[in-house]
Amino acid sequence: MTTPTAVNSLPYRNGRFANDWVAAGGAEQSRYFMGLLVEALPRWLCDEIRHERLRVCDWGCAEGDGTGWLAQALGWDVTGVDFSELAVAHARQRHPETPFLCENWLEHAPREAFDVVVSSNTFEHFDCPWEAFKVVAEQAKRYVLLLVPYREYQRHVEHAATFDDASIMLAPSASWALLQSRVIDAAHRTPSYWQGEQVLLWYARVELLVQRGFSLADVQAHPAAAAERGDAALRALVRREEALVHQSREQQRRIAALLADNREQGLALAATRERLDAVLASTSWRVTEPLRAAGGLRLRALRRWHDVGTAYRRGGAREVAARVAAVLTRRLRAVARALLRRLVPAEPLVSAPGAPSWPLAPARAGFVDVYLFGVIDWNFRVQRPQHLARELARRGHRVFYLTNHFHDDAAAGCDVEALDVELPLYQVRLKVDGAPPIYFDAPSDAARRQIDAALRRFAARASDERAICLVQHPFWARSACALQPACLVYDCIDDHEGFGKVGRKLVDLEHWIMRRADLVVATSTLLAQRAGRHNRHVALVRNAGQYEHFARPPAQRFADPAGRRIVGYYGAIAEWFDVDLVRRVAVDLPEVLVLLVGSDTVGACAALRDLPNVQCVGEVPYVELGHYLHAFDVCLLPFKVTPLTLATNPVKVYEYLAAGRPVVGVALPEMSQFGDLVRTAAEPAGFVAELRAALAEAPDHATDHAAGQPAPAARRQAFAAGQTWAHRADELLAAIAAAAKPRVSVVVLTYGNLALTRECLASVDACREGIDLEMIVVDNASTDGTPEFLRAWAAERRDVRLILNDANLGFAAGNNAGLAAASGDYLVILNNDTVVTPWWAWKLVGHLRNEASLGLVGPLTNRIGNEARVDTHYRGLAQMPAEAERITAPNCGRWFEMRAAAFFCVMMPRSTFERCGPLCEDYGLGMFEDDDYCRRVQREGLRVGCAEDVFVHHEHSVAFNALGDARKRALFEGNRKLYESKWGPWVPHQHRELAPQRAQRTAAGTRR
């Protein structure tokens, strides 16, 4: 093979042909460009490739993300080819189900040829692209499909060629002719990775055109063109194309002459461009650069000078100036609206090196953030996760969608992708070493540490408040809990055990999160019943349909060339799909076409290949489902009856009904909610009988006069209109708002120091977030006006118990009186010389709920004699909350074990109190009762911990200091002897550890 010199100049970086969207980098861009290519293809060509089993090559596949997407989305036999060994190695690792070859076609002939060669965004890098085309095209038997930038006059520095009407070859060689070209405006896609236009160039071998006798309908890529192929010969078509191209070139020359001859128009254009340049150089334009980078504005959209030339031809300079001015006005208005809608942070939030920095919209007041821990990637098949996320974002919540497709990277971090220009909706992709799948086993300890670190860093910078965590797969359970959410919701969408190959640890993790969750949401009655065994707070929030998307018939529908009636199914063709039932339908109803749309992972289509009235389409994009759905005369739900399907609430039934189509399904429990709107059967013969009856149903526009009911289609659509994802989002938010809060009883013991008591109680009053709080204040016979203040204070509040002792009972006895009166599920002992911080009690509760072995937990503080002390620099309580946030925010969900907690602030679950009993009152006024209680907790097999995400200010030993040094020393020595008589030698408390020591302890695994 002869290789042109220019071919060897192709830049290459990071295992991929280098261009500007690679710098923005990632799998999303590869899938994005491949999606543009597929969207521009005629449907009949996709069907030809699939049905004739043509072999397709993705040339220049890099790491195979576009290749894998193409194979999965269209069901094609696709092989990726790239000359980089590193890129191919990565592709094989990332997409093991797709074949990849390491070959350099530009230097050596490949081992085999393909029927179709596809190449996306590669040929613009060649100085002589058509010479490279001749080399590559030799390896294609039928078609070459190229996607390249269109009219890129201000080329990227690494692009060597521009493709426009003058440079695109009609016949690059004697063997190849341009069959179709289609221009795609990529600038206004959401999200967009190209700020301009792309063009699809579809070349076919000339001999194939002659043999096939293509018609004009074919080359226009009409969706129903497969049924309209005529008798027009290739030569007439080629002559017509040549004449059109010649005419187009003559027209371009005339436009150029007009522009050159009309000096006045040229000056007007120059003036307009000066105005445009002034705007682009202005401060306001520079300030709004992040908005344009995120997809709001497209610079190249303002510089489509081809449209300007057309305006010259039609109306002259005045129309040109008016058109450009109108565009500028619209764009600048969009800038103003965008600036009012969202403020851009001063620095990027979280991104990988070299990846785009996606600014986050600020959280709206009154709308808590939602972290949705997904079961699928956002760009996979559109299902419940994406619908709920979008609806929650529409209601004003910032939604962070955690995808299960991890970056294979050993460093903790994540990428953030804006999913919608108008909505606060983002996909967060975490870095996890090895990128483990989530479906089969619980995360390893190393993976969980890496996930938790990335989430902790993201949450600390993204939000100042607790969020809602909506978990849709048990793999995420522990990591979601570590975020200390305001509400933890487990969305039980499937019987995960029913999928098979699910590890026992993952099943146990699901049971754990069902018990731990503040609310369990179930999609079916059976799942709700199972969840009720673990949690009494269960809400039934079924699946739904996107009514507007499916109710309106598309402009073009699938058509059977043989004119048969169609019974159809779309969705995953997986282990729950009943192949035998579909075979029975096809055999008993040979006059109908059985149309199956979806990714086949179990070989069902191969098993049905012998039946002439069964057609498999493969996976299609969500936006194209209506093209097939509205062609179905009857919709099918041919599921096996298994533990998985018995718990399934099928989304597709809502979508079928939204289109008004008759539905026949297997008799599953969740089908009963549809009543007579859906026909069901328990065995194959009945299924076929119901299918015959559905086919005989009256036309959609008819009315059942005998029953006085509206047409069946209208009844089905009326039902579906009330079962939308908007309804489900409202149901979910209502269930979250009604979720029970943990009952926390806070016991505050007072003895003098009224000013400190005021500050303490005021801080507890102000920090009730997320909990049902009960205050129990016990006074040990204060003489400084404290009892009078407490009576007035308690009279103004609910959920307050006031206990006024006649004598100083001491620390243990005073707190025991309060604990005995407490009604909460969690009990707190809090000194009156403390000031708490936001979410303190909620986060302490979270630690106790997350770790069953934790019997007692306290916070970090500024003054104490053990490890809970941290260095602080605030001066006065006004500065304390900000510094407390700085200390605790990076440690969300973290705690460490210690020998003894100081009882200035501790929380225990009621179960600990019931097992260990009240504080020992033998210690009199106080000292050592906290050590004593910690020994009792540990004797029960429980642990004592310190929460690193909670800070409580402490004045420290104010009451004891009033005793004087001599009396305090005597009390200390006497109580130490009492303690040692029960527990052995007392181990003095450790002072605050230095950072390196704490890091060593973390590495040793003692921190949780």
Side-chain angles (χ1 to χ4, degrees):
M1 179 184 299
T2 303
T3 304
T5 303
V7 169
N8 293 322
S9 65
L10 180 64
Y12 195 85
R13 184 176 68 243
N14 296 331
R16 179 76 182 173
F17 288 108
N19 57 27
D20 52 344
W21 60 267
V22 172
E28 296 82 2
Q29 292 92 334
S30 297
R31 292 194 292 266
Y32 169 81
F33 283 108
M34 198 62 75
L36 294 182
L37 187 148
V38 170
E39 179 182 322
L41 292 178
R43 177 55 54 189
W44 68 262
L45 174 62
C46 299
D47 293 341
E48 175 186 331
I49 295 174
R50 185 182 302 112
H51 297 156
E52 297 188 25
R53 305 190 179 195
L54 302 185
R55 297 194 63 226
V56 180
C57 168
D58 177 15
W59 185 74
C61 67
E63 295 185 354
D65 297 298
T67 313
W69 184 92
L70 189 66
Q72 181 185 50
L74 297 179
W76 290 358
D77 176 10
V78 185
T79 299
V81 173
D82 202 283
F83 63 76
S84 168
E85 294 182 1
L86 178 61
V88 171
H90 287 173
R92 289 168 177 165
Q93 182 180 15
R94 292 162 64 89
H95 306 280
E97 72 285 355
T98 303
F100 293 93
L101 301 175
C102 181
E103 296 179 343
N104 189 346
W105 290 2
L106 303 178
E107 295 181 356
H108 305 286
R111 288 171 287 182
E112 54 184 330
F114 295 85
D115 297 300
V116 183
V117 171
V118 176
S119 190
S120 170
N121 282 262
T122 56
F123 277 79
E124 64 272 20
H125 297 279
F126 293 99
D127 293 326
C128 302
W130 299 113
E131 293 300 318
F133 175 89
K134 294 176 183 177
V135 177
V136 173
E138 286 304 310
Q139 317 314 322
K141 299 177 182 178
R142 294 196 184 186
Y143 305 116
V144 174
L145 307 174
L146 306 182
L147 186 71
V148 293
Y150 184 55
R151 294 189 292 201
E152 187 194 12
Y153 299 118
Q154 295 182 352
R155 288 200 301 259
H156 187 274
V157 65
E158 294 177 350
H159 292 184
T162 296
F163 291 86
D164 58 12
D165 295 341
S167 62
I168 294 175
M169 301 295 291
L170 177 66
S173 70
S175 301
W176 292 92
L178 181 66
L179 189 61
Q180 177 191 337
S181 66
R182 176 168 291 183
V183 177
I184 308 162
D185 183 1
H188 295 90
R189 303 301 175 101
T190 304
S192 178
Y193 296 100
W194 184 257
Q195 298 183 358
E197 295 174 319
Q198 295 266 313
V199 61
L200 171 70
L201 303 175
W202 172 17
Y203 290 91
R205 282 197 177 271
V206 172
E207 60 267 25
L208 177 66
L209 298 177
V210 175
Q211 293 169 4
R212 296 283 295 276
F214 278 83
S215 68
L216 186 60
D218 294 319
V219 302
Q220 288 177 341
H222 194 281
E228 303 173 1
R229 295 179 185 175
D231 300 325
L234 166 70
R235 292 183 178 83
L237 174 63
V238 171
R239 284 196 298 271
R240 184 183 298 123
E241 292 283 354
E242 289 175 341
L244 288 174
V245 170
H246 178 72
Q247 182 180 359
S248 174
R249 288 177 176 170
E250 286 296 321
Q251 191 176 44
Q252 291 175 9
R253 282 194 288 270
R254 287 198 301 272
I255 292 173
L258 285 172
L259 291 173
D261 293 340
N262 194 332
R263 185 172 182 274
E264 179 183 354
Q265 292 175 340
L267 293 174
L269 177 59
T272 302
R273 294 193 65 166
E274 287 179 4
R275 290 175 56 196
L276 174 60
D277 291 338
V279 171
L280 297 180
S282 66
T283 302
S284 62
W285 190 265
R286 292 197 302 272
V287 168
T288 58
E289 172 62 28
L291 292 174
R292 298 194 301 281
L297 299 175
R298 306 297 171 192
L299 178 59
R300 288 182 175 81
L302 302 180
R303 289 179 168 172
R304 293 178 183 164
W305 298 114
H306 181 273
D307 295 339
V308 173
T310 303
Y312 263 97
R313 189 182 72 232
R314 292 178 178 175
R318 181 173 298 177
E319 182 176 343
V320 171
R323 181 170 298 191
V324 175
V327 170
L328 281 174
T329 302
R330 288 196 301 272
R331 297 303 180 191
L332 293 176
R333 284 176 182 169
V335 171
R337 287 195 301 270
L339 283 173
L340 291 174
R341 197 166 50 243
R342 57 184 70 176
L343 298 174
V344 181
E347 60 179 10
L349 181 69
V350 181
S351 65
S357 299
W358 297 103
L360 299 185
R364 291 178 58 188
F367 291 87
V368 65
D369 290 344
V370 177
Y371 288 75
L372 197 156
F373 292 80
V375 68
I376 54 176
D377 187 75
W378 181 269
N379 296 307
F380 188 57
R381 194 177 299 122
V382 179
Q383 299 180 57
R384 178 184 178 96
Q386 296 97 321
H387 287 303
L388 283 180
R390 192 172 292 281
E391 290 298 334
L392 292 171
R394 285 190 177 123
R395 278 149 185 76
H397 300 274
R398 289 194 307 181
V399 179
F400 302 117
Y401 187 94
L402 278 297
T403 175
N404 62 308
H405 284 193
F406 303 120
H407 284 301
D408 187 356
D409 195 322
C414 63
D415 292 341
V416 182
E417 174 187 2
L419 296 171
D420 195 295
V421 174
E422 299 296 328
L423 297 177
L425 182 58
Y426 308 90
Q427 177 165 250
V428 180
R429 188 182 303 277
L430 302 175
K431 298 178 180 180
V432 184
D433 194 16
I438 72 171
Y439 305 113
F440 309 113
D441 206 351
S444 66
D445 291 342
R448 189 184 148 205
R449 284 194 297 271
Q450 192 176 356
I451 291 171
D452 291 356
L455 286 176
R456 194 176 294 116
R457 183 184 307 171
F458 176 84
R461 302 184 67 187
S463 177
D464 294 332
E465 298 291 339
R466 302 296 98 191
I468 295 171
C469 282
L470 181 61
V471 180
Q472 294 187 320
H473 195 278
F475 179 93
W476 299 104
R478 294 279 185 177
S479 296
C481 291
L483 281 179
Q484 295 278 37
C487 186
L488 177 68
V489 183
Y490 180 55
D491 190 11
C492 187
I493 61 179
D494 278 309
D495 175 15
H496 294 289
E497 294 181 68
F499 282 100
K501 298 182 180 179
V502 175
R504 185 70 244 173
K505 290 182 179 179
L506 196 61
V507 174
D508 293 341
L509 197 53
E510 181 176 38
H511 295 165
W512 180 86
I513 193 174
M514 283 185 177
R515 294 190 297 271
R516 167 62 182 87
D518 301 297
L519 171 69
V520 177
V521 170
T523 59
S524 70
T525 302
L526 181 59
L527 290 176
Q529 292 171 349
R530 292 179 181 175
R533 302 170 191 168
H534 304 278
N535 196 317
R536 53 195 174 93
H537 306 297
V538 179
L540 181 61
V541 179
R542 287 188 166 98
N543 289 321
Q546 191 178 0
Y547 179 79
E548 296 81 4
H549 180 71
F550 293 96
R552 183 177 302 173
Q556 300 294 336
R557 310 184 193 184
F558 175 87
D560 177 30
R564 294 168 291 187
R565 301 193 75 183
I566 300 173
V567 297
Y569 166 88
Y570 69 69
I573 303 174
E575 60 268 20
W576 55 83
F577 185 86
D578 195 338
V579 180
D580 293 335
L581 180 58
V582 174
R583 173 174 286 277
R584 175 71 179 269
V585 168
V587 170
D588 288 3
L589 299 173
E591 71 278 9
V592 305
L593 172 65
V594 180
L595 186 62
L596 306 178
V597 181
S599 175
D600 179 7
T601 60
V602 292
C605 293
L608 300 170
R609 187 180 302 157
D610 59 307
L611 298 172
N613 62 330
V614 176
Q615 180 176 341
C616 294
V617 175
E619 182 115 0
V620 301
Y622 179 79
V623 295
E624 294 185 16
L625 288 176
H627 172 75
Y628 296 95
L629 172 56
H630 283 272
F632 296 167
D633 292 286
V634 179
C635 301
L636 301 179
L637 191 76
F639 283 178
K640 297 177 182 177
V641 179
T642 68
L644 177 65
T645 58
L646 287 172
T648 297
N649 181 252
V651 174
K652 59 179 59 60
V653 174
Y654 298 97
E655 297 169 348
Y656 289 166
L657 296 176
R661 321 315 288 176
V663 182
V664 177
V666 175
L668 298 171
E670 285 298 295
M671 302 298 280
S672 62
Q673 65 167 310
F674 302 112
D676 63 351
L677 297 177
V678 174
R679 299 175 182 271
T680 60
E683 40 80 30
F687 192 92
V688 174
E690 293 292 347
L691 184 52
R692 290 186 189 277
L695 286 167
E697 184 180 285
D700 293 348
H701 62 273
T703 300
D704 187 348
H705 296 287
Q709 296 291 329
R715 290 181 57 228
R716 289 188 283 264
Q717 287 191 306
F719 174 85
Q723 307 289 322
T724 67
W725 290 111
H727 292 94
R728 298 299 185 254
D730 291 338
E731 292 171 17
L732 175 63
L733 291 173
I736 291 172
K741 298 179 179 179
R743 177 79 166 171
V744 177
S745 297
V746 179
V747 177
V748 178
L749 179 65
T750 63
Y751 178 68
N753 298 300
L754 176 57
L756 295 178
T757 299
R758 289 177 184 272
E759 290 178 340
C760 174
L761 297 181
S763 72
V764 175
D765 258 345
C767 299
R768 292 171 170 262
E769 304 93 344
I771 57 174
D772 175 15
L773 191 139
E774 173 189 44
M775 290 288 293
I776 302 171
V777 184
V778 181
D779 183 70
N780 265 349
S782 298
T783 59
D784 62 346
T786 294
E788 293 76 15
F789 162 77
L790 292 176
R791 289 190 186 96
W793 176 82
E796 298 175 352
R797 288 163 177 79
R798 298 176 58 188
D799 276 339
V800 170
R801 298 284 302 276
L802 185 59
I803 301 174
L804 301 177
N805 296 325
D806 295 330
N808 185 356
L809 303 183
F811 184 86
N815 277 298
N816 284 341
L819 292 172
S823 63
D825 301 313
Y826 298 89
L827 310 178
V828 176
I829 295 174
L830 183 69
N831 279 8
N832 70 326
D833 60 348
T834 60
V835 174
V836 299
T837 53
W839 295 95
W840 71 283
W842 175 256
K843 289 187 278 189
L844 291 177
V845 168
H847 286 293
L848 294 171
R849 296 177 70 184
N850 293 344
E851 184 54 66
S853 67
L854 191 56
L856 192 73
V857 65
L860 298 174
T861 189
N862 57 312
R863 292 175 183 168
I864 204 65
N866 64 12
E867 307 99 306
R869 177 183 172 182
V870 292
D871 287 333
T872 57
H873 305 283
Y874 58 85
R875 296 182 178 180
L877 291 177
Q879 298 176 0
M880 185 269 294
E883 185 162 356
E885 175 68 15
R886 178 187 61 79
I887 293 169
T888 59
N891 298 313
C892 185
R894 283 178 168 170
W895 67 276
F896 61 87
E897 187 172 3
M898 55 184 181
R899 176 174 170 79
F903 275 30
F904 74 97
C905 176
V906 290
M907 177 185 284
M908 69 184 87
R910 178 165 289 278
S911 59
T912 296
F913 183 67
E914 291 172 349
R915 291 167 66 176
C916 299
L919 278 66
C920 179
E921 298 181 9
D922 296 341
Y923 294 97
L925 292 179
M927 292 192 189
F928 285 92
E929 64 280 296
D930 47 7
D931 290 75
D932 181 279
Y933 205 83
C934 289
R935 299 293 81 73
R936 291 156 64 187
V937 168
Q938 291 159 345
R939 184 177 59 189
E940 292 294 324
L942 302 173
R943 294 192 284 176
V944 176
C946 178
E948 294 189 87
D949 55 0
V950 181
F951 182 91
V952 172
H953 170 82
H954 185 209
E955 290 295 331
H956 192 45
S957 298
V958 174
F960 282 110
N961 289 338
L963 297 175
D965 291 341
R967 190 177 177 191
K968 188 166 68 171
R969 169 58 63 182
L971 186 62
F972 176 87
E973 293 298 337
N975 283 351
R976 186 178 73 170
K977 291 178 181 179
L978 174 61
Y979 172 88
E980 291 181 337
S981 68
K982 297 171 63 175
W983 304 104
W986 175 64
V987 178
H989 294 176
Q990 300 178 10
H991 290 281
R992 180 180 57 86
E993 294 180 330
L994 298 176
Q997 294 172 312
R998 181 166 291 180
Q1000 292 171 6
R1001 185 181 60 207
T1002 303
T1006 59
R1007 179 184 291 178
R1008 297 292 183 270

